[in-house]
Amino acid sequence: MLLDLNMPKMDGSEVMQRIKKNNIDVKIIVISMHDGEEFILHSSEQGASGYLLKQSEPDEIVSCIE
């Protein structure tokens, strides 16, 4: 799943918490404009398998998904 951290009704962190709580077997790649270490670490702690910046090149996004 590609997941943005900033969404209008429910942020990505809450989505990851619900996925974890419900034991849903899915790999999450966060895609965000935030490049601060705290965002990356928090996403990892919430269960993200990867973290990409929105300005990432298409081949980098494909490589992360694969």
Side-chain angles (χ1 to χ4, degrees):
M1 167 190 293
L2 290 177
L3 181 65
D4 193 347
L5 289 179
N6 295 320
M7 298 185 296
K9 297 197 182 213
M10 181 185 311
D11 70 18
S13 185
E14 187 175 347
V15 171
M16 286 188 281
Q17 288 173 3
R18 287 184 182 203
I19 287 171
K20 195 176 196 179
K21 178 182 175 185
N22 291 302
N23 295 316
I24 299 171
D25 186 25
V26 64
K27 293 193 180 200
I28 301 167
I29 298 171
V30 170
I31 188 158
S32 178
M33 65 180 181
H34 302 290
D35 64 353
E37 186 176 333
E38 66 274 9
F39 292 100
I40 298 166
L41 290 174
H42 182 71
S43 295
S44 177
E45 290 167 355
Q46 293 294 317
S49 299
Y51 193 99
L52 291 167
L53 297 176
K54 286 186 177 181
Q55 66 264 25
S56 296
E57 295 294 326
D59 60 328
E60 186 178 5
I61 295 170
V62 170
S63 177
C64 187
I65 292 170
E66 292 177 334

